[in-house]
């Protein structure tokens, strides 16, 4: 099969969260299964920082609501997967991808309508007619409607024949791409589409249109696929998802163990370990405490947090319980960035408990690896969590996760087996889970070791999940003659 995988971010060129890792490793696994898969993303400034070997493969114009805009297409290889960058200085040559701090770029709708059209034009420029176009999150959500209403619709573009099937993956339903109704002309679509497919409480909602107009909709865990059809989790789109249940599938994300494995990790001070010999983990812990300026308190449990510091991640529960957790004679190290009120809280906590708390506000991939390796426990008390990658990375490093039972956390962590869980989103139950973890760590070391070994042996690599995506594609394409 031929697949175009369209994503606003792909590791290592641009990453704000888990989507980027998925957009790198899922296509690679699909390629390994014998398919012709290519990826495409915008060429932000961050792409240049990675210094990929690129060649210019095409230049074309894209018709938008206010005229023709130029696009230059660059090609590189990302772990063997052909990857295209859409270059338009005015839209993408920016440090930040979608917003500066809390301030969204005012031209985001124009930018990503342009990107979706440029991705379709890319197929023509390269004479690559995909069987399936796989879109990811709101930045790519208008592609199905652009394809069906414009390219294969009133323009009757002969190239898109047969019309590629569209798969849309929801990585996080709380980000929907909502814009004021007066932005409608930017979409250059007949008004009927607004009424039928985009309108949502008087606004344009890009995700709603993608749910309506894609041939299949997937999300990133089975439990999340159930949850988003319910009021508290669907962020308003629950009824629309419920009505479209027949085309909704939950497929758990995989992870790339070449990047996230304690026996090969290049970022852990040159120290490695495995399930059979875990001594290296404790040497990494010592170095990590040193890096954070914390005293090396031997077997005092070191609790790690790596997160976007936003409400979704349950930071309010950490706030509510942090001092109580430290009173259990623990240390806590934090890596994250997000809402300033959380920055201020963690800075305050560090000042108040300088020998117990280490804080790094910012994005630091290498440090994330060292925390996964050097911490004993990992906190993820999310309010909701579509899949979550950090708890899966933690398992591989024998860093037992303490999570709320929601979304992908519920699908990957079993209480007392490979981590500790709680259900009700409240500080009492969260603290209870941490307390139980500290108790097992301190008083039942043989049980702790057993849980570490179980966690480290688990396999969440992409192979199985990639097969499930391929099945979705095959069901849509139906024409098995074009399948490999
Ligand atoms: P989400 O996509 O909702 O942010 P995930 O758990 O799916 O959550 O993925 C988060 C990814 O981003 C992980 O790879 C994690 O290591 C990384 N990450 C999050 N915050 C930081 C940070 N401040 N520095 C480095 N990596 C981070």
């Amino acid at each position: 099969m031929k697949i175009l995988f369209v994503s606003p971010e792909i590791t290592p060129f641009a990453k704000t969260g888990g989507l980027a890792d998925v957009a790198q490793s899922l296509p690679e696994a699909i390629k390994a299964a014998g398919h012709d898969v290519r990826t495409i993303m915008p060429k932000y400034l961050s792409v240049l920082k990675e210094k990929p070997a690129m060649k210019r493969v095409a230049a074309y114009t894209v018709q938008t609501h206010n005229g023709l805009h130029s696009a230059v297409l660059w090609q590189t290889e990302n772990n063997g997967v052909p990857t295209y960058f859409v270059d338009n200085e005015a839209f993408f040559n920016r440090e930040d991808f979608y917003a500066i701090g809390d301030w969204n770029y005012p031209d985001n709708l124009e930018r990503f309508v342009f990107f979706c059209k440029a991705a379709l034009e890319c197929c023509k420029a390269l004479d690559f007619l995909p069987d399936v176009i796989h879109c990811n999150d709101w930045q790519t959500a208008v592609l199905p409607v652009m394809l069906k209403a414009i390219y294969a619709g009133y323009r009757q573009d002969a190239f898109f024949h047969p019309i590629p099937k569209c798969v849309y993956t929801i990585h996080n339903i709380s980000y929907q791409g909502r814009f004021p109704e007066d932005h409608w002309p930017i979409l250059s679509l007949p008004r009927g589409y607004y009424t039928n497919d985009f309108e949502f409480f008087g606004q344009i909602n890009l995700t709603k249109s993608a749910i309506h107009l894609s041939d299949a909709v997937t999300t990133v865990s089975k439990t999340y696929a159930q949850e988003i059809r319910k009021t508290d989790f669907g962020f308003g789109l629950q009824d629309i998802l419920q009505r479209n249940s027949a085309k909704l599938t939950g497929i758990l994300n995989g992870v790339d163990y070449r990047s996230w494995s304690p026996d090969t990790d290049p970022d852990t001070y040159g120290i490695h370990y495995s399930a059979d010999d875990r001594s290296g983990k404790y040497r990494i812990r010592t170095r990590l405490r040193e890096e954070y300026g914390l005293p090396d308190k031997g077997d005092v449990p070191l609790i790690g947090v790596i997160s976007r510091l936003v409400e979704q991640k349950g930071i309010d529960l950490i706030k509510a319980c942090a001092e109580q957790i430290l009173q259990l004679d623990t240390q806590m190290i934090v890596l994250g960035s997000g809402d300033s009120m959380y920055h201020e809280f963690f800075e305050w906590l560090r000042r108040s408990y300088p020998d117990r708390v280490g804080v790094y506000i910012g994005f630091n991939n290498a440090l994330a690896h060292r925390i996964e390796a050097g911490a004993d426990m990992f906190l993820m008390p999310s309010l909701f969590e579509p899949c979550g990658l950090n708890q899966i990375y933690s398992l591989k490093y024998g860093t037992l996760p303490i999570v709320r039972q929601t979304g992908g956390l519920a699908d990957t962590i079993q209480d007392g087996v490979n981590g500790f869980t709680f259900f009700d989103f409240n500080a009492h139950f969260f603290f209870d889970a941490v307390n139980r973890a500290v108790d097992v760590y301190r008083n039942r070391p043989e049980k702790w070791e057993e849980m570490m070994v179980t966690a480290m042996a688990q396999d969440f690599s992409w192979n199985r999940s990639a097969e499930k995506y391929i099945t979705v594609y095959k069901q849509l394409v139906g024409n098995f003659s074009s399948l490999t």
Side-chain angles (χ1 to χ4, degrees), residues 25-95:
S25 44
L26 171 59
E28 201 186 333
I30 292 170
K31 180 160 190 253
H35 300 282
D36 180 358
V37 56
R38 309 179 188 192
T39 59
I40 186 164
M41 63 171 279
K43 185 163 169 278
Y44 313 107
L45 266 182
S46 62
V47 171
L48 292 180
K49 290 193 186 129
E50 272 304 307
K51 300 193 174 62
M54 293 189 290
K55 64 176 188 242
R56 188 183 147 120
V57 287
Y60 48 83
T61 53
V62 176
Q63 171 86 53
T64 72
H65 72 297
N66 62 2
L68 291 172
H69 295 265
S70 75
V72 175
L73 203 62
W74 298 84
Q75 181 178 354
T76 189
E77 294 243 320
N78 192 3
N79 290 341
V81 176
T83 297
Y84 303 103
F85 302 115
V86 175
D87 189 359
N88 175 297
E89 289 232 351
F91 287 138
F92 300 127
N93 206 27
R94 305 180 189 186
E95 284 284 350

Side-chain angles (χ1 to χ4, degrees), residues 257-300:
Y257 288 127
R258 283 169 316 175
S259 309
W260 295 92
S261 192
D263 47 0
T264 52
D265 197 317
D267 292 313
T268 50
Y269 315 104
I271 307 169
H272 296 111
Y273 62 95
S274 62
D276 298 336
D277 177 4
R278 299 184 296 281
S279 56
K281 182 169 180 65
Y282 304 107
R283 283 185 280 132
I284 294 171
R285 182 172 68 182
T286 298
R287 295 284 300 273
L288 186 61
R289 284 174 168 144
E290 205 178 294
E291 183 171 349
Y292 267 99
L294 294 176
D296 188 10
K297 288 189 179 239
D299 272 347
V300 163

Side-chain angles (χ1 to χ4, degrees), residues 324-349:
Q324 250 182 310
I325 292 172
L326 296 174
Q327 278 152 18
L328 295 174
D329 192 17
T330 61
Q331 288 176 316
M332 191 184 292
I333 46 173
V334 179
L335 164 63
S337 65
D339 293 350
S340 49
M341 67 172 176
Y342 296 130
H343 298 182
E344 281 158 26
F345 167 74
F346 283 118
E347 293 293 4
W348 169 83
L349 194 68

Side-chain angles (χ1 to χ4, degrees), residues 15-19 21 172 253 260 306-308 312-313 335-337 360 362-366 368 372 380 385-391 393:
K15 171 170 173 176
T16 62
L19 165 60
D21 289 356
N172 190 332
N253 283 337
W260 295 92
I306 305 167
S307 187
R308 288 185 293 118
Q312 178 207 330
K313 298 293 180 179
L335 164 63
S337 65
Y360 181 111
F363 198 93
N364 186 330
N365 186 50
E372 289 292 6
M380 232 166 141
E385 193 60 72
C387 175
L389 293 177
N390 275 315
Q391 85 281 13
Y393 299 147

